[in-house]
Amino acid sequence: MPVIDLATTPLRELNQALHDAATPGHNDTEFEVLNPKGAHAVAVGVAAPVDIQVKGSVGYYCGGMNEAASITVHGSAGPGVAENMMSGTVVIKGDASQYAGATGRGGLLVIEGNAASRCGISMKGINIVVRGNIGHMSAFMAQSGNLVVLGDAGEALGDSLYEARLFVRGAVKSLGADCVAKEMRPEHLQLLESLLAEAGITDVKPQEFTRYGSARTLYNFNIDNADAY
Amino acid sequence: MSQNNHPTTPRKSSTFDDYTLSEIRRAAATGIYDIRGGGTKRKVPHFDDLLFLGASMSRYPLEGYREKCSTEVVLGTRFAKKPITLKIPITIAGMSFGSLSGPAKEALGRGATLAGTSTTTGDGGMTEEERGHSETLVYQYLPSRYGMNPRDLRRADAIEIVIGQGAKPGGGGMLLGQKISDRVAEMRTLPKGIDQRSACRHPDWTGPDDLEIKILELREITGWEKPIYIKVGGARPYYDTALAVKAGADVVVLDGMQGGTAATQEVFIEHVGMPTLACIRPAVQALQDLGMHRKVQLIVSGGIRSGADVAKALALGADAVSIGTAALVALGDNDPKWEAEYQTLGTTAGSYDDWHEGRDPAGITTQDPELARRLDPVLAGRRLANYLKVMTLEAQTIARACGKSHVHNLEPEDLVALTIEASAMAGVPLAGTSWIPGKTGF
C-alpha cells in the first residue's frame, strides 16, 4: 500500500498517483496520506475505486469531484469537502467547514461531527449524512439527493429548494423561502433507514426525523410571490 | 392641445416616448418585468467612435496581401502545460445548450474549427455536438454547475470560470420553463417545465482568496494542463482584472455591457455595467501595473462586429476578442428570410430578442425540434467560418496600413477618438488634438 507523506511529498505527486490508479496497469487499491496539515485539494478528481485514508485534517476541497473512491479523513475538513462529488464515499471523522458536498451529483458524504453553513448547497443528487449540526443556508437551491441531519439545522434551511429531500432530527432554526415540512411516508422512512445504514449509523430511528421539501410555489415566476424572491 | 381655433401639433414626451409607454402598459398588464436576450440596445460609446490613423510619412505601411501580418494568438502561457494556440484572435463566446439548440452548438463548433479558433460551452454543460465538432473547446465553470462533471473538465482544452457577464454583472440566469425539454432537464438535474434559476454566485467560494484555492483544485484535477480563464462582467475592470491575476488566472475574459445573454431583465441589460470601450484600458492598466500584460492574456467581448472592432480592441491592449451575438447572426439569427414569422411574433427581423420563449424562427435559440431542424449545421458553420475569416482579413488590412506585421503590434498610438466621451474612455486623443480628457492638457 503506497504511503504518501505530504510533509515530504508535493501535493501534485499525491494527486497524480491517485489519478494514475484509474489507468490500466496500476494495481494499487489502498493509499495512506500522512501529514495533510490542512493542505488544500487533497485527493481531488480521483476516478478509481480505491481506498484513501487521510491521517489528519485537510483544507479546502478535499475529495472534490470524487468518482468511485472511498476517502476517509481522520480529522476535520475545510470548506468545500467532496464538492461536486459524482460517486464513491467521503467520510469526515471530525467537523466540516462551509459548503460541504456543494453541487454534489452522487455518492455519499458522511460527516461524523458538525458541518458549517451551506452544507449541501446546490446539491444535485448526492447523499449527505451529518451526525452533528449544520449551519445556516444549508441546502440552498438544492436540486436533488438527500440531506440527513441528526442534530439541529441553522437559519434558512432549504431556501429556494428544488427536489432534494431534507431529513432533520433536531430543531430547525428557520426555513428558507419555499421550504416546508412534509409528511414522512413509508417510502421516506425506508429511504432514511437505508441512508443511515449506509452511513454506519445504528443508534437512531427514522421516525425521529422530520422531512422538509419544496412547496414548489417558486417553480414558475408569479408576481404575487414577489416577496419570496 | 387645441385652444379655440388655434390647434397645435400633438407633442410626444421624450421622457415618456412610445417605447417607454408600451413598457409601462406591459408591466401593468402582465405583472412581470420584460425579459429578453441579447445585449444593450441603446447607443453607448463604442468602437465606432474611434478611428485608425494609418501610415503616411511618419509611419511606414506594409503592403496589403503581400507582406505578412500574423494573427496567431497563444492563450494560457502563464501556468498551463498545454497553452492554446489559435490561428485568429477571435473566439466564440460561451452560449449554453438549452439557450441554443443542438444544431446551433454544432454549427458554432464547425465554424470555429474551420477558422482555426475555439468555441465555449455555457450554462447547461457540454454536449457531444460541440465537443465533437470543436477542435478547441473551452469549458465554462459556472455558478449553477448545471451538468458539471470532472470527465468533461478533462475533455476540455481550457476552463473558463465565469464570475460575471457583461449583460448582467452581478446577476444570475433564468431559463424559463418553456425551453426546458427532456434533454435540457436531464442535463440540469431539474424537473421539466420549471423556471431554472442560475445562481449569481459560485456556491463554494466567496472571494478572490477562495478562488485562488478553487483554481488550485481545478488544476490538480486536470493535471495543470489546461489554461484557466476567469470571465468578469465589465463593471470595475481595473480591480476585477487585478484580482483575477492575483487568483491565478492564465487568461482574463472581460465582457462589456454590449455583450449578450440568453435571457435576463431588460432593465438589467440596459442599466447595469459599463460599455466595452470603457472597460479595456483600465483592465490593460491593471495588467501593466502588475507587470503581467501579454503574460496573462486579455480577451475582450461585448458588441464586436467587424475586423475594425477587432483591430481597435487589440490596439487598446487586448490579446483577442470574443463574439456571441455576431456569431449567431452569422449562423442565421434574425435573418430577413423569416420576416413573415417574425411578424407573427410581433417583431421584425433584426429586432427579435425573445429567445427565452423558444419560438425562434431561425431554429437557433430554441429547443423545439421542428424549428431546430431548420438550421443546417454544416451550412451555418460554413457561414460562421466565412465571417470569422472576413473579420480577420479586415483586422489584418488595418494593421498593415498601420505598419504592423502582427495584429498584436497595434497600439493606442494608432487611434484617435471622434468624441470627447470615447477619447476619455479609450484613453486616446480627440482627433486633431493631443488632448485626452483627464490625462493631458487642460
Side-chain angles (χ1 to χ4, degrees):
Chain A
M1 176 178 71
V3 178
I4 298 170
D5 186 345
L6 284 176
T8 53
T9 305
L11 176 76
R12 184 78 282 274
E13 283 184 30
L14 163 66
N15 283 323
Q16 194 59 54
L18 296 174
H19 295 172
D20 289 345
T23 57
H26 289 79
N27 300 318
D28 291 322
T29 57
E30 293 180 18
F31 293 82
E32 191 170 270
V33 181
L34 305 178
N35 292 308
K37 293 183 178 171
H40 306 315
V42 170
V44 294
V46 183
V50 295
D51 183 87
I52 303 163
Q53 299 289 323
V54 182
K55 299 297 178 69
S57 292
V58 291
Y60 280 63
Y61 306 124
C62 177
M65 302 193 203
N66 185 51
E67 278 186 286
S70 295
I71 302 171
T72 303
V73 176
H74 298 269
S76 291
V81 63
E83 68 89 15
N84 218 97
M85 179 154 67
M86 304 295 289
S87 61
T89 308
V90 173
V91 177
I92 308 300
K93 294 288 185 183
D95 299 321
S97 186
Q98 357 175 48
Y99 343 122
T103 75
R105 291 181 61 187
L108 174 69
L109 168 63
V110 180
I111 296 162
E112 298 198 350
N114 302 304
S117 63
R118 301 175 175 221
C119 181
I121 185 169
S122 236
M123 53 194 278
K124 295 165 168 32
I126 190 175
N127 292 322
I128 304 174
V129 179
V130 182
R131 186 174 264 284
N133 307 317
I134 59 170
H136 64 267
M137 289 297 277
S138 289
F140 174 62
M141 290 180 86
Q143 292 177 213
S144 66
N146 302 287
L147 172 62
V148 179
V149 183
L150 274 63
D152 301 334
E155 293 168 328
L157 177 72
D159 193 282
S160 303
L161 192 66
Y162 288 102
E163 294 293 293
R165 299 182 200 89
L166 318 180
F167 301 97
V168 183
R169 182 162 161 257
V172 173
K173 196 161 186 187
S174 66
L175 294 174
D178 217 28
C179 182
V180 292
K182 292 188 164 182
E183 178 196 3
M184 190 77 107
R185 295 196 296 270
E187 67 264 32
H188 302 119
L189 292 169
Q190 201 177 355
L191 168 71
L192 190 48
E193 191 166 12
S194 68
L195 287 168
L196 290 167
E198 218 181 323
I201 292 170
T202 54
D203 54 344
V204 296
K205 294 185 176 61
Q207 290 80 359
E208 296 168 21
F209 290 76
T210 302
R211 179 170 73 103
Y212 301 90
S214 176
R216 303 189 176 104
T217 58
L218 300 182
Y219 275 19
N220 290 97
F221 184 85
N222 181 336
I223 194 67
D224 295 327
N225 291 332
D227 290 348
Y229 289 102
Chain B
M1 179 181 287
S2 67
Q3 289 179 334
N4 302 325
N5 293 324
H6 302 285
T8 58
T9 301
R11 183 178 181 185
K12 288 190 173 175
S13 167
S14 60
T15 304
F16 289 90
D17 60 15
D18 284 347
Y19 176 74
T20 306
L21 294 172
S22 71
E23 274 305 293
I24 293 172
R25 292 187 194 104
R26 195 202 46 74
T30 64
I32 186 168
Y33 36 57
D34 187 28
I35 292 176
R36 70 169 175 87
T40 188
K41 290 193 167 187
R42 65 170 165 159
K43 190 169 171 55
V44 294
H46 198 31
F47 294 118
D48 285 342
D49 300 320
L50 301 181
L51 295 173
F52 280 101
L53 292 173
S56 286
M57 283 289 280
S58 52
R59 289 287 178 110
Y60 190 69
L62 298 187
E63 193 68 62
Y65 300 104
R66 282 205 299 115
E67 291 181 290
K68 182 142 182 75
C69 177
S70 304
T71 59
E72 185 178 279
V73 55
V74 184
L75 301 167
T77 53
R78 187 184 184 192
F79 291 119
K81 281 188 207 165
K82 293 184 178 173
I84 286 174
T85 300
L86 304 177
K87 285 185 189 164
I88 62 173
I90 309 161
T91 68
I92 305 299
M95 291 175 275
S96 75
F97 172 75
S99 166
L100 300 188
S101 65
K105 290 300 279 182
E106 179 182 333
L108 291 172
R110 285 177 178 274
T113 300
L114 281 171
T117 191
S118 62
T119 51
T120 312
T121 66
D123 219 346
M126 185 186 288
T127 61
E128 294 308 317
E129 286 96 329
E130 62 190 340
R131 179 61 280 185
H133 292 97
S134 301
E135 189 179 329
T136 307
L137 179 61
V138 182
Y139 188 35
Q140 282 196 332
Y141 188 72
L142 290 125
S144 70
R145 311 277 168 85
Y146 288 140
M148 166 61 214
N149 71 62
R151 280 159 274 166
D152 287 341
L153 211 58
R154 294 187 192 101
R155 291 204 296 166
D157 299 294
I159 299 161
E160 180 172 304
I161 302 173
V162 179
I163 298 170
Q165 203 176 335
K168 46 181 179 182
M174 173 81 93
L175 193 61
L176 295 183
Q178 53 264 50
K179 283 180 84 169
I180 314 300
S181 64
D182 286 330
R183 186 180 174 196
V184 174
E186 187 190 337
M187 282 181 73
R188 300 189 181 208
T189 331
L190 282 168
K192 188 179 177 182
I194 67 167
D195 299 343
Q196 299 191 350
R197 304 185 291 271
S198 300
C200 65
R201 303 186 300 254
H202 282 263
D204 60 356
W205 54 271
T206 54
D209 293 336
D210 284 4
L211 175 57
E212 188 172 350
I213 305 168
K214 171 53 72 177
I215 290 174
L216 169 72
E217 184 206 9
L218 294 172
R219 286 199 168 111
E220 281 295 321
I221 288 171
T222 53
W224 288 74
E225 289 183 345
K226 302 168 201 307
I228 305 284
Y229 300 8
I230 295 181
K231 179 175 180 176
V232 295
R236 295 173 182 80
Y238 183 89
Y239 296 106
D240 287 346
T241 301
L243 288 172
V245 171
K246 189 255 177 197
D250 291 296
V251 175
V252 176
V253 182
L254 178 62
D255 191 26
M257 79 178 287
Q258 294 103 315
T261 178
T264 198
Q265 298 92 333
E266 156 98 1
V267 70
F268 216 144
I269 295 171
E270 296 289 0
H271 298 279
V272 182
M274 291 213 302
T276 305
L277 184 66
C279 292
I280 303 176
R281 291 309 293 280
V284 172
Q285 189 66 52
L287 292 170
Q288 289 171 339
D289 288 352
L290 293 166
M292 299 304 278
H293 191 219
R294 307 294 186 202
K295 294 176 184 162
V296 169
Q297 286 79 37
L298 177 68
I299 300 178
V300 167
S301 54
I304 303 287
R305 306 152 298 177
S306 67
D309 289 352
V310 176
K312 288 169 186 175
L314 299 186
L316 293 176
D319 294 277
V321 301
S322 201
I323 60 168
T325 303
L328 298 186
V329 173
L331 297 188
D333 180 63
N334 268 292
D335 195 305
K337 76 177 176 183
W338 305 109
E339 178 60 26
E341 293 187 46
Y342 287 122
Q343 296 272 344
T344 64
L345 294 172
T347 185
T348 184
S351 301
Y352 177 64
D353 57 19
D354 285 329
W355 300 341
H356 56 285
E357 293 179 350
R359 296 187 291 164
D360 184 355
I364 294 169
T365 60
T366 182
Q367 293 303 313
D368 181 321
E370 288 299 315
L371 291 172
R373 255 197 290 279
R374 290 182 175 184
L375 188 79
D376 176 346
V378 177
L379 179 63
R382 182 71 243 177
R383 289 172 57 93
L384 176 61
N386 287 344
Y387 171 60
L388 289 167
K389 288 177 178 177
V390 167
M391 278 206 291
T392 305
L393 284 170
E394 288 172 343
Q396 283 174 304
T397 300
I398 288 170
R400 283 196 192 94
C402 294
K404 314 295 185 183
S405 60
H406 194 295
V407 288
H408 283 164
N409 294 344
L410 287 163
E411 56 191 322
E413 200 278 337
D414 293 315
L415 292 165
V416 292
L418 285 170
T419 67
I420 292 171
E421 289 85 353
S423 174
M425 290 178 187
V428 301
L430 189 66
T433 78
S434 58
W435 182 45
I436 303 173
K439 292 198 174 169
T440 56
F442 43 86

